[in-house]
Amino acid sequence: DTATLVAKYQKKYDNIIYFDNMDNKGACARRNEGIKYSTGAYIAFIDSDNYWHPEKLKKQMTVLQKNDCDFCFCNVKIIDGNSSFIVPKQLIEKEFLCKKLLRENIIDTNSLLITKDKIIKAGLFDEEMPRLQDYELVFRLIYNENAKFCHLNEVLVTNNLQKDSITKNSKLYVKALSIFLNKHGQLIPEEDKVVWVAKLLLSNGWNTNEGRYVLNNTLNDSIFCCKVLNYFVDVFTSSRYEIDILNKWTDADWNIIKKVKESVNIPVIGNGDIKTCYDAKKMIEQTGCDAV
């Protein structure tokens, strides 16, 4: 009942403009339309599952104008069920952000306050991106536009992740990852691509056409494959992660894996092409091994 709710606010505030879209073109397309319709010099975003703290815009505007920046971002508290975490956790300087963006995003769309001129010059949101659109935009702002930014190290946005949130859709993540790497892969060093591939293998979307495309174009290099395996060894050492990896790769029952894990120390070894992963369950059954 959004239209009725907005109408009440329009009676109180004459600067609210409401566009009721009957068709679903996706978040990126609608954000881009909103930017084009806007008449102000600054742009900010708020999605339906996010909450702006009362002083967000005022505080960000003060910092942005004081430092003459192209955009400002703040910290976001992300609530996922009974757990919560804050992104980012520390003050972000430009050198750190440049390095961090080669592996992951730490800037949420709803935390942004950006000048209209800069976001238009950067090319707006990529409407082909089903996920990671904020990441891809910020990546372009930093690496293509050399945008000047400031970070307000304060939680001013709360994001309540829903069960059907796009953020939790692994298949869309893999598709977005494929598009991102096609556009910006030449700027990403090999050691950072290792992390990308490791995350892909840990997602539920690795067994998709987009996932196989990314993996086939990276893991065909045996040296690179070894680096990915070493990354797993160095980072994912806990029993929980080992069980989680097995659960996703074999699609087996969690309780069965947990029971086996308690009685046998199972090594997780990856070697060969993607077909090896597809045949993993059959190989386990035929050979009688605990894991492949």
Side-chain angles (χ1 to χ4, degrees):
D1 203 20
T2 305
T4 303
L5 181 63
V6 172
K8 293 179 181 179
Y9 284 100
Q10 286 179 308
K11 292 179 181 179
K12 188 176 181 180
Y13 305 101
D14 60 7
N15 60 344
I16 293 178
I17 304 172
Y18 176 62
F19 294 91
D20 188 356
N21 298 302
M22 302 304 294
D23 56 337
N24 184 7
K25 293 184 178 179
C28 289
R30 293 312 183 196
R31 289 184 184 125
N32 288 343
E33 286 184 12
I35 294 168
K36 292 173 183 177
Y37 282 130
S38 69
T39 58
Y42 302 92
I43 305 291
F45 308 92
I46 182 165
D47 297 332
S48 59
D49 53 356
N50 284 255
Y51 167 77
W52 278 358
H53 296 213
E55 299 293 308
K56 175 189 183 292
L57 290 180
K58 182 178 180 180
K59 288 184 176 182
Q60 283 191 295
M61 185 68 76
T62 300
V63 173
L64 186 144
Q65 292 181 334
K66 180 180 179 181
N67 293 278
D68 190 26
C69 292
D70 297 306
F71 70 91
C72 175
F73 68 97
C74 61
N75 300 350
V76 179
K77 181 179 181 181
I78 301 176
I79 300 175
D80 187 3
N82 295 323
S83 63
S84 65
F85 53 96
I86 295 174
V87 179
K89 296 180 179 180
Q90 62 190 51
L91 182 65
I92 304 299
E93 303 291 348
K94 183 173 183 179
E95 184 177 352
F96 179 83
L97 179 62
C98 289
K99 291 181 179 179
K100 199 71 173 176
L101 286 176
L102 294 172
R103 295 191 175 191
E104 61 182 325
N105 185 32
I106 55 173
I107 301 178
D108 185 271
T109 306
N110 298 267
S111 75
L112 279 173
L113 175 67
I114 186 170
T115 61
K116 182 177 179 180
D117 290 343
K118 200 64 177 182
I119 195 170
I120 289 178
K121 184 179 179 183
L124 302 178
F125 288 96
D126 185 342
E127 297 181 13
E128 298 297 318
M129 295 286 290
R131 270 189 63 183
L132 307 178
Q133 54 264 35
D134 45 4
Y135 178 29
E136 198 276 332
L137 171 64
V138 172
F139 194 92
R140 273 186 282 126
L141 285 168
I142 296 297
Y143 280 95
N144 294 356
E145 301 298 327
N146 194 29
K148 185 179 179 182
F149 75 89
C150 49
H151 172 217
L152 183 55
N153 191 23
E154 184 177 347
V155 175
L156 297 173
V157 177
T158 299
N159 182 357
N160 286 285
L161 291 182
Q162 308 299 315
K163 292 182 179 180
D164 59 349
S165 171
I166 292 177
T167 304
K168 293 186 175 184
N169 191 314
S170 295
K171 290 185 178 180
L172 292 183
Y173 166 76
V174 174
K175 184 176 182 180
L177 171 61
S178 178
I179 296 173
F180 184 92
L181 289 178
N182 278 333
K183 289 184 65 174
H184 306 296
Q186 71 278 5
L187 297 175
I188 302 176
E190 187 176 80
E191 60 268 24
D192 296 303
K193 285 184 179 179
V194 166
V195 180
W196 279 84
V197 173
K199 288 181 178 180
L200 171 57
L201 287 170
L202 286 173
S203 77
N204 288 325
W206 71 269
N207 191 16
T208 62
N209 290 333
E210 292 80 12
R212 288 193 291 271
Y213 171 80
V214 174
L215 294 174
N216 280 328
N217 282 276
T218 53
L219 296 184
N220 56 4
D221 184 331
S222 59
I223 296 178
F224 183 83
C225 185
C226 287
K227 290 182 179 180
V228 173
L229 292 174
N230 286 333
Y231 179 84
F232 278 127
V233 171
D234 292 339
V235 179
F236 302 110
T237 57
S238 72
S239 174
R240 173 79 184 192
Y241 266 115
E242 291 174 18
I243 294 173
D244 200 29
I245 292 170
L246 284 171
N247 187 42
K248 290 175 180 177
W249 283 0
T250 66
D251 200 28
D253 181 80
W254 173 272
N255 292 322
I256 295 175
I257 292 177
K258 187 174 181 180
K259 185 177 180 180
V260 174
K261 178 63 184 174
E262 289 173 350
S263 60
V264 181
N265 184 22
I266 301 176
V268 180
I269 302 173
N271 189 15
D273 58 17
I274 304 306
K275 190 175 184 300
T276 305
C277 298
Y278 299 156
D279 295 338
K281 287 180 70 175
K282 182 183 292 185
M283 291 170 65
I284 291 174
E285 293 170 357
Q286 291 178 346
T287 62
C289 294
D290 294 309
V292 177

